[in-house]
């Protein structure tokens, strides 16, 4: 709305040029509050009041802008991130089981679990992490008969079922 009164008959080429601004030019306009445009050999200065800058969300990203700062977060969950999340929840359940069993913080343990296929795969990928966080010397995927022998506790970890037990060494 401000372009017509400000630039008169030159408004059409200026408006066309504004539509073709590069990301760097838009960034410069946002940070400096103004931008000089060279059109057909003439210089025109626009400011942030002359334009409306729209930000469109990209699927799988969260984008927020505050003044001249823009932050974008990739929110897509990869298989590796899902596995890490499952392993972290598993570690939390093991730590609670250790505590409820009266184990000392420094006690070494063996972990036994009977889990859904997805959880079993995630735990296999993250075994080293689980061992470090829980002081486990072994993380064993076992069958139903073996888990019963270890007084297992049933848990739901992010929708995945498991029965787990901890044995002090």
């Amino acid at each position: 709305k401000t372009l017509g009164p400000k630039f008169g008959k030159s408004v059409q080429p200026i408006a066309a040029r504004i539509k073709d601004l590069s990301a760097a030019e838009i960034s410069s306009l946002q940070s400096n509050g103004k931008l000089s445009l060279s059109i057909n050999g003439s210089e025109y200065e626009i400011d942030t009041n002359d334009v409306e800058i729209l930000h469109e969300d990209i699927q799988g990203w969260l984008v927020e802008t505050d003044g001249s700062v823009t932050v974008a977060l990739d929110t897509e969950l990869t298989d590796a991130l899902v596995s890490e999340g499952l392993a972290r929840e598993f570690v939390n359940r093991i730590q609670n089981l250790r505590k409820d069993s009266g184990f000392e913080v420094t006690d070494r343990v063996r972990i036994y679990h009977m889990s859904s296929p997805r959880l079993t795969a995630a735990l296999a990928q993250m075994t080293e992490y689980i061992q470090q966080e829980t002081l486990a010397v072994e993380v064993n995927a076992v069958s139903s008969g073996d888990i019963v022998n270890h007084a297992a506790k049933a848990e739901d970890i992010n929708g995945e079922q498991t029965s787990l037990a901890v044995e002090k060494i």
Side-chain angles (χ1 to χ4, degrees):
K1 295 179 181 179
T2 63
L3 291 178
K6 189 172 180 179
F7 298 111
K9 61 183 175 183
S10 300
V11 72
Q12 291 303 323
I14 293 171
R17 176 67 175 89
I18 289 172
K19 287 181 183 178
D20 292 333
L21 289 177
S22 68
E25 289 172 320
I26 293 170
S27 178
S28 176
L29 175 61
Q30 285 182 306
S31 61
N32 299 325
K34 58 185 174 180
L35 180 68
S36 181
L37 300 175
S38 180
I39 303 169
N40 299 329
S42 299
E43 291 291 319
Y44 300 95
E45 187 171 277
I46 61 169
D47 61 44
T48 53
N49 295 323
D50 297 326
V51 297
E52 182 179 4
I53 300 172
L54 302 174
H55 299 276
E56 294 180 359
D57 287 337
I58 301 170
Q59 187 171 355
W61 289 80
L62 288 178
V63 180
E64 288 293 326
T65 301
D66 185 9
S68 64
V69 176
T70 300
V71 176
L73 296 175
D74 181 356
T75 59
E76 289 291 318
L77 291 177
T78 64
D79 288 340
L81 287 173
V82 170
S83 292
E84 182 178 342
L86 290 169
R88 287 179 181 276
E89 278 298 315
F90 185 83
V91 165
N92 175 268
R93 306 300 163 81
I94 294 296
Q95 299 295 37
N96 289 338
L97 191 55
R98 284 174 58 105
K99 180 179 159 188
D100 293 345
S101 299
F103 294 173
E104 295 295 324
V105 175
T106 57
D107 288 341
R108 296 272 179 198
V109 296
R110 280 190 188 91
I111 298 172
Y112 301 94
H113 70 93
M114 185 181 70
S115 304
S116 67
R118 183 176 182 193
L119 183 56
T120 299
L123 299 179
Q125 290 174 354
M126 302 294 294
T127 299
E128 187 175 313
Y129 165 77
I130 294 166
Q131 288 177 305
Q132 289 173 349
E133 293 297 312
T134 61
L135 295 181
V137 296
E138 296 175 8
V139 178
N140 301 299
V142 296
S143 66
S144 59
D146 292 332
I147 200 73
V148 170
N149 297 335
H150 295 287
K153 181 177 181 187
E155 293 280 350
D156 179 296
I157 298 178
N158 297 343
E160 301 295 327
Q161 301 304 311
T162 187
S163 293
L164 50 96
V166 178
E167 175 183 59
K168 182 176 166 181
I169 298 176

